[in-house]
Amino acid sequence: MRKFELIVPCHFGLEAPLKREITDLGYDITSVENGRVTFFGDEEGCVRANMFLRTAERVLIKIGSFHAETYEELFQGIRALPWEEYIPKDGKFWVTKAASVKSALFSPSDIQSIVKKAMVERLRDIYHINWFEEDGAPFPVRVFLLKDEVTVGLDTTGESLHKRGYRKLTAKAPIAENLAAALIMLTPWKGDRILVDPFCGSGTIPIEAAMMAANIAPGMNRRFTAQQWEHVVGTENWQDALEEAREQIDYGLETDIQGYDIDDEMVTIARANAKLAGVEGMIHFQKRDVADLSHPKKYGFLITNPPYGERLEEKALPGLYRMLGERYGRLDAWSLYVITSYERAEAEIGRKADKNRKIYNGMKKTYYYQFLGPRPTGKNRREK
């Protein structure tokens, strides 16, 4: 079975939960950098990473890396890579993304053009043809330049891994599924604990929590680009991973997962998405204003992505966050986790966060404020 070095990008600031996920799958980490984790894996590892990683954006096979400060060095470096080991004569290949940070070469379009030309020249010499029909399987390429070090990867995933297949309808500013999963993983929450999202929108945080509780693999209901690469990743590996995922599902855990939203339409959308995810029976969605937030039990978790500008007028934000802080203060021994770009979130909530993590949600800098409640002990742990 072929061995690969696999590059797994993620949201900036969420490398730790992704590293933990990869380690839990049984693979050895080779490096952790801003926005990506790299590990060694075989064909099975490539497939299982796509199928089971909740916090990843995609899985790339590393083709190679080299130093380049000029376009000629870039061209020769790309041309020297063994593209024929991956791309057949009829393969459709293109540079889907080029990114450059602190490098002499900084134009994405120029980088993409040079890389494509170098790949064509290499494969033309190998296959002894002058024209590529490119009517076969797709082979998208991604190129990263950091301080003049070029890293080249072949994208096995296709559409980003955050697209689980269940979210057909969304809110105006939805949180990505992989980001929602990472936020949950950064808390001590387990499937038998209480979880409430008072600004649930299209239901992503409660749905991701329910999928974790039932051990539903995030990639079960979608397809991946590398499923068309039988000469690179055998078909049996995808079948084996899907069978493994099906065997792991367990709906036996009793859950208390709730999602609230002030918008009736959002509640309807959230329920529809939960049904598509196969977890509608594990979550209680309802129309409820944050001002009515309450729960009779202790030791619960509020994990939420409240409005912070895009979905609400700026003048309404102080009152919204003050109300969230007030209602949280009335809950008995709960923890509150809030991701937001609103700079006065702590001030309006009325308490300094115990922990604060900077996370980039796309290009937007956000903060994950963590207000920690006490841990249940003894009899309380059993009755949590």
Side-chain angles (χ1 to χ4, degrees):
M1 191 173 285
R2 296 180 70 169
K3 301 287 185 180
F4 305 114
E5 189 168 10
L6 299 167
I7 304 168
V8 186
C10 64
H11 288 271
F12 283 89
L14 296 178
E15 298 82 7
L18 175 57
K19 178 183 176 182
R20 187 166 67 247
E21 278 197 283
I22 293 170
T23 301
D24 288 346
L25 280 180
Y27 301 104
D28 296 326
I29 305 295
T30 58
S31 69
V32 179
E33 303 169 73
N34 287 336
R36 67 185 186 191
V37 179
T38 304
F39 72 98
F40 281 117
D42 54 15
E43 294 177 30
E44 181 184 82
C46 175
V47 172
R48 295 181 73 235
N50 275 295
M51 184 68 68
F52 293 104
L53 292 179
R54 300 182 189 277
T55 61
E57 290 187 355
R58 60 188 64 252
V59 180
L60 310 175
I61 294 175
K62 182 178 178 180
I63 306 301
S65 59
F66 54 89
H67 186 86
E69 297 181 34
T70 67
Y71 284 117
E72 179 62 22
E73 290 175 336
L74 176 65
F75 183 91
Q76 295 302 335
I78 294 295
R79 190 178 184 280
L81 298 176
W83 294 105
E84 67 278 2
E85 294 182 10
Y86 304 92
I87 303 175
K89 284 183 181 181
D90 65 346
K92 178 183 179 181
F93 56 97
W94 72 102
V95 183
T96 184
K97 184 176 182 180
S100 177
V101 178
K102 298 180 180 177
S103 297
L105 307 179
F106 56 84
S107 167
S109 59
D110 289 338
I111 293 168
Q112 287 172 300
S113 177
I114 294 295
V115 170
K116 173 75 176 191
K117 288 178 182 177
M119 292 174 66
V120 168
E121 184 164 314
R122 167 82 181 204
L123 293 174
R124 185 175 60 200
D125 292 345
I126 294 293
Y127 293 131
H128 306 292
I129 56 176
N130 291 319
W131 180 259
F132 292 89
E133 295 292 341
E134 297 196 55
D135 55 359
F139 292 86
V141 175
R142 290 183 171 244
V143 182
F144 308 92
L145 282 77
L146 175 61
K147 297 180 180 178
D148 301 318
E149 292 299 315
V150 183
T151 302
V152 187
L154 202 57
D155 182 6
T156 71
T157 303
E159 280 197 310
S160 172
L161 288 175
H162 82 267
K163 295 190 176 181
R164 320 289 206 213
Y166 68 75
R167 199 166 70 177
K168 303 301 183 184
L169 301 167
T170 65
K172 291 180 181 178
I175 187 170
E177 293 89 328
N178 55 352
L179 176 54
L183 298 182
I184 297 166
M185 289 182 183
L186 288 170
T187 79
W189 180 81
K190 301 297 180 185
D192 60 347
R193 303 284 296 275
I194 304 164
L195 186 151
V196 175
D197 180 357
F199 302 97
C200 74
S202 52
T204 308
I205 290 175
I207 291 171
E208 288 294 318
M211 289 178 68
M212 290 182 197
N215 210 16
I216 298 173
M220 281 190 66
N221 297 311
R222 55 161 291 165
R223 292 189 61 80
F224 307 93
T225 297
Q227 285 179 269
Q228 302 173 64
W229 305 352
E230 294 184 21
H231 64 293
V232 179
V233 182
T235 303
E236 68 281 0
N237 292 295
W238 298 101
Q239 296 169 343
D240 291 346
L242 185 57
E243 185 60 32
E244 179 185 357
R246 287 170 176 162
E247 290 176 354
Q248 289 183 3
I249 297 175
D250 182 5
Y251 288 108
L253 189 66
E254 186 176 340
T255 59
D256 186 349
I257 301 171
Q258 301 181 36
Y260 307 145
D261 202 280
I262 196 171
D263 187 338
D264 258 331
E265 184 182 358
M266 284 296 101
V267 173
T268 299
I269 287 173
R271 287 173 179 154
N273 289 338
K275 185 174 183 178
L276 286 171
V279 293
E280 71 272 24
M282 301 176 66
I283 310 170
H284 174 67
F285 289 110
Q286 73 175 91
K287 179 182 178 181
R288 182 185 288 196
D289 193 299
V290 67
D292 300 319
L293 175 63
S294 64
H295 199 289
K297 294 184 179 180
K298 300 177 66 172
Y299 305 112
F301 290 76
L302 292 175
I303 305 177
T304 192
N305 172 43
Y308 42 85
E310 292 86 349
R311 292 178 289 163
L312 201 70
E313 293 292 335
E314 288 286 343
K315 61 184 180 183
L317 290 175
L320 184 80
Y321 282 78
R322 279 198 297 272
M323 182 56 68
L324 175 62
E326 179 185 325
R327 299 313 299 181
Y328 167 58
R330 297 187 183 187
L331 294 168
D332 191 357
W334 280 51
S335 298
L336 168 63
Y337 297 82
V338 180
I339 184 169
T340 182
S341 65
Y342 181 46
E343 296 288 347
R344 288 190 51 79
E346 286 176 298
E348 301 300 350
I349 288 172
R351 172 179 163 184
K352 184 173 177 58
D354 298 290
K355 293 183 180 180
N356 181 12
R357 179 185 290 262
K358 186 189 300 182
I359 298 171
Y360 279 85
N361 185 4
M363 297 303 294
K364 179 176 284 291
K365 182 173 67 175
T366 64
Y367 296 93
Y368 192 38
Y369 297 106
Q370 302 165 60
F371 304 88
L372 309 180
R375 295 182 178 182
T377 57
K379 181 174 181 289
N380 289 322
R381 181 180 294 276
R382 292 191 297 272
E383 294 180 352
K384 64 187 180 296

